[in-house]
Amino acid sequence: MQETITQGTTPTFSFTLPLEAAQLKNFFVTFRQSGKNMLEKSISDCVKSEYTVSTTLSQKETFLFSTDQGVQMQVRLSDKAGNAFASPVFPLRVAPILKGGEVI
Amino acid sequence: MSQKAIYLQPNVFHFDLQEHLSPTPTVSNEVIQARKLNGTDYTSLQEAIEGELLTLKALITAGLTFVGTTSSKPTAQGGAVGDFYYCTNDGLYYAWTGKAWQVCGDSTKIANGSVTPEKTSFISGSGYPDLFRNKTLLNNKQLDNLGTTFTSSGYNTNRYGIPVQEGKTYTFSINGQRVFITKVVFKTTDSIVAVDGEDVTEYFLSVHNSLGLNSITAPTGAKYMFASMSSSYQSQYGPMSELVVQNTQEPQPVNNDFCLSDFITIPHYVPSNLYGLTMMTLGDDLSAEGEWQEYVSKYLGLKAVKNFSSSGAKVSQFLNYFTPTLAADVDVVFIMGLFNSKQSQPGTVNDAPSSDDNASICAGYKFLIETLYSLNPNFKIVLASPHRSPNYNVADKVKAVGEVAAYYGIPFIDVYNTAAFNDYTYPMYLRDGIYCSYGAGGGYEQEAKVIAGGLIHYFG
């Protein structure tokens, strides 16, 4: 199922890994729209648990995406043994909001 | 109205990367099966494809060894049933039956009956002399006006139709020289005679009679052309068995800087407004051959020229071979000629229109113009004087034609007084003192340059 990012929200992306999160050396989540990388989250932006890594977008970050096109997301990571991995590219939708701006 | 509870959930998306991270993707059973090809278990699909391509290439290379000569064919023990062998020295194809090499094809011949008119109907630029060979000509037969033939001594008619394309113009020649033929019929079937009692008139499309027919445009729906040639024409030009029908060259726009001659330069606005239009020509011997029309068509990029001119025609006879239905798509009507109206006086523009053979030039031309306008007031009618000849002094008649043009306010191209036909150029422009010479630098080309220049002058 294709997930939907709603503008002006704080969506959390949680990734279940095939290796222990403690073994991660690097971890990147890239969001691309209209052929351009709009946002990148690195390991320092993520929260690790035993086999999962999650990262949350801010309201401001969700406004980087326009609602008239889909967003593509991909994870790349490397472990301490030197292996590098890449996930498939996941398509995401962007939903608009009626009241603009951030909600504090 | 009932209340509906709405629960706001935090936006949390879960992605399980355990099975999706490369370089350790999970391989499906389908892919595993696909890797096994021809007994080989490849480690990847890419290896499988590359390996099989190499095998295929090797097979093709091996197959090429089956080209050789009759003396180098494998021995009986060397072949397997179905093996195939091509011999370059005899051009034959052989197949191994299990016991011997048997001929299964001949690359040097075309099988009898395999090339039919339908299979060559795409050809538009080549001649069809074979269709007029003696054995396929009907001797002493002439086309009638219903698309069949009747007995007529000395005439020949082609038994099988020449494939044509509608809208294309075809010319007739024998041994490279343009010739006249007597009659043309267009049909939708390739046979002029009835087969198994069929009604051949069902396939009849149109008939074209002319004493001076040396080009014809295939009408809408035409698929095959049939021609009759009289014995007198064959005596004059050569046997009909040598007749060649060719599609004339498509009109091409000329370059902007095209220079007509030392005398006349087409202005820079060529291609003209006449590009893509259809012109019809009415006249006598000077136009009947269709020679100057070909040049004009090329200079101006005309779509087509329909020539209804005929040899020996007087002004009063210029409409004799004109068919209104064939002129339905005509834009420009070009009329030139008066040499044969020897008995006619120049007359004045006050003369009443007349189709009488001996009526004045003015009366005859007025009759032509009024007849044409009554058929189609949108015709762009153009009058022209003929070229000069040392044998004909028709200056007063030329003046009369110009006055008729002015009377109707239509263009008049004065070839007689502007095309530089004079004692110095007659040897170059005339082949017999009257008729224009052919080819580059000849009279027809010179005449065409003046006419094209005049048309551009009037129509832009």
Side-chain angles (χ1 to χ4, degrees):
Chain A
M1 176 185 162
Q2 197 169 332
E3 304 292 0
T4 300
I5 303 170
T6 302
Q7 287 183 327
T9 63
T10 53
T12 297
F13 292 84
S14 173
F15 303 97
T16 304
L17 305 175
L19 67 165
E20 285 185 70
Q23 296 301 312
L24 287 177
K25 184 179 176 188
N26 270 313
F27 183 91
F28 296 97
V29 187
T30 304
F31 297 85
R32 169 177 285 217
Q33 191 176 44
S34 302
K36 186 177 170 186
N37 287 353
M38 307 299 289
L39 177 65
E40 188 167 274
K41 293 285 192 179
S42 65
I43 197 164
S44 60
D45 303 315
C46 297
V47 176
K48 293 185 280 188
S49 66
E50 194 176 2
Y51 279 92
T52 63
V53 176
S54 58
T55 186
T56 301
L57 306 192
S58 68
Q59 291 185 56
K60 193 176 285 183
E61 285 171 331
T62 62
F63 283 121
L64 292 173
F65 307 123
S66 68
T67 58
D68 54 1
Q69 293 228 12
V71 169
Q72 295 171 311
M73 180 187 71
Q74 187 178 38
V75 173
R76 293 195 62 190
L77 59 91
S78 63
D79 64 17
K80 290 176 180 174
N83 300 310
F85 304 86
S87 78
V89 174
F90 297 102
L92 306 170
R93 290 195 191 96
V94 182
I97 50 172
L98 302 182
K99 172 182 167 50
E102 288 186 68
V103 178
I104 301 172
Chain B
M1 185 175 134
S2 62
Q3 281 191 328
K4 189 172 182 180
I6 298 174
Y7 299 98
L8 293 178
Q9 297 286 350
N11 250 343
V12 180
F13 307 129
H14 295 282
F15 293 88
D16 188 348
L17 301 181
Q18 293 185 100
E19 293 186 353
H20 294 293
L21 281 183
S22 60
T24 54
T26 302
V27 179
S28 70
N29 286 334
E30 185 182 2
V31 173
I32 291 170
Q33 286 302 113
R35 287 174 178 174
K36 294 176 182 174
L37 286 172
N38 292 323
T40 303
D41 191 2
Y42 294 97
T43 57
S44 70
L45 279 179
Q46 184 176 353
E47 273 188 27
I49 293 166
E50 288 175 351
E52 290 305 300
L53 282 175
L54 281 174
T55 304
L56 184 60
K57 188 177 175 184
L59 284 172
I60 293 170
T61 305
L64 290 177
T65 63
F66 284 91
V67 175
T69 63
T70 45
S71 60
S72 66
K73 284 202 303 287
T75 60
Q77 291 77 18
V81 174
D83 271 0
F84 184 77
Y85 201 90
Y86 173 67
C87 291
T88 55
N89 58 323
D90 62 7
L92 299 180
Y93 300 101
Y94 296 85
W96 182 251
T97 63
K99 293 181 179 177
W101 289 103
Q102 189 174 56
V103 175
C104 61
D106 185 345
S107 67
T108 64
K109 294 176 182 173
I110 298 172
N112 289 340
S114 64
V115 180
T116 61
E118 287 78 8
K119 289 176 181 174
T120 57
S121 61
F122 62 90
I123 300 170
S124 62
S126 302
Y128 300 94
D130 287 347
L131 289 169
F132 296 115
R133 293 302 180 208
N134 287 326
K135 65 181 179 182
T136 60
L137 278 181
L138 299 174
N139 296 319
N140 298 318
K141 290 283 186 185
Q142 186 185 170
L143 289 162
D144 64 13
N145 290 337
L146 294 172
T148 58
T149 60
F150 63 97
T151 300
S152 183
S153 178
Y155 279 84
N156 284 122
T157 299
N158 53 313
R159 161 74 172 77
Y160 299 105
I162 309 152
V164 294
Q165 294 180 346
E166 59 182 33
K168 300 276 188 184
T169 299
Y170 296 85
T171 62
F172 307 103
S173 61
I174 290 177
N175 294 323
Q177 184 189 350
R178 292 281 292 277
V179 301
F180 295 133
I181 61 168
T182 312
K183 185 179 280 192
V184 168
V185 162
F186 288 102
K187 301 186 77 170
T188 58
T189 182
D190 68 340
S191 178
I192 196 67
V193 300
V195 177
D196 297 334
E198 66 175 348
D199 179 8
V200 288
T201 59
E202 181 184 340
Y203 305 104
F204 170 67
L205 201 63
S206 64
V207 61
H208 308 268
N209 293 288
S210 173
L211 293 175
L213 190 66
N214 70 353
S215 72
I216 186 82
T217 300
T220 302
K223 290 187 175 175
Y224 297 96
M225 178 199 292
F226 298 86
S228 282
M229 201 166 179
S230 67
S231 55
S232 60
Y233 277 144
Q234 295 188 66
S235 302
Q236 188 175 351
Y237 303 117
M240 190 180 177
S241 57
E242 298 300 324
L243 185 65
V244 172
V245 178
Q246 286 183 301
N247 172 218
T248 51
Q249 190 183 2
E250 295 282 350
Q252 297 292 328
V254 295
N255 294 330
N256 286 350
D257 59 354
F258 183 82
C259 179
L260 283 180
S261 72
D262 293 335
F263 308 101
I264 295 169
T265 303
I266 286 188
H268 67 278
Y269 46 72
V270 172
S272 78
N273 291 328
L274 299 172
Y275 178 80
L277 298 189
T278 296
M279 184 167 80
M280 171 176 95
T281 57
L282 301 175
D284 53 20
D285 312 62
L286 307 187
S287 301
E289 290 190 294
E291 291 287 332
W292 67 260
Q293 293 96 321
E294 281 198 26
Y295 286 108
V296 169
S297 178
K298 191 166 66 175
Y299 295 154
L300 303 180
L302 296 177
K303 180 183 177 185
V305 175
K306 296 186 172 183
N307 188 11
F308 297 101
S309 308
S310 58
S311 298
K314 298 178 179 181
V315 173
S316 57
Q317 299 167 330
F318 283 1
L319 290 173
N320 280 11
Y321 303 107
F322 165 72
T323 310
T325 51
L326 286 177
D329 59 345
V330 163
D331 305 292
V332 179
V333 179
F334 188 97
I335 314 173
M336 179 175 78
L338 45 74
F339 282 172
N340 296 313
S341 296
K342 299 183 181 69
Q343 307 303 320
S344 299
Q345 296 300 312
T348 73
V349 292
N350 296 320
D351 292 349
S354 173
S355 60
D356 188 275
D357 278 357
N358 295 323
S360 72
I361 295 296
C362 283
Y365 266 90
K366 285 180 74 174
F367 173 78
L368 296 176
I369 292 166
E370 302 208 354
T371 302
L372 290 164
Y373 272 146
S374 68
L375 291 169
N376 184 354
N378 290 319
F379 277 148
K380 301 176 196 298
I381 301 176
V382 179
L383 304 188
S385 57
H387 61 255
R388 272 189 204 178
S389 155
N391 297 319
Y392 291 99
N393 183 348
V394 292
D396 50 351
K397 294 178 181 175
V398 165
K399 187 180 173 197
V401 175
E403 287 170 356
V404 172
Y407 179 81
Y408 291 97
I410 59 177
F412 173 63
I413 299 173
D414 194 356
V415 176
Y416 190 84
N417 288 308
T418 63
F421 280 62
N422 53 48
D423 289 339
Y424 297 98
T425 59
Y426 284 146
M428 185 166 54
Y429 293 151
L430 299 178
R431 62 180 193 264
D432 55 4
I434 300 174
Y435 298 110
C436 284
S437 52
Y438 301 104
Y444 276 124
E445 187 185 49
Q446 172 65 6
E447 194 168 77
K449 287 172 180 176
V450 175
I451 291 170
L455 289 170
I456 290 168
H457 170 74
Y458 285 110
F459 296 107

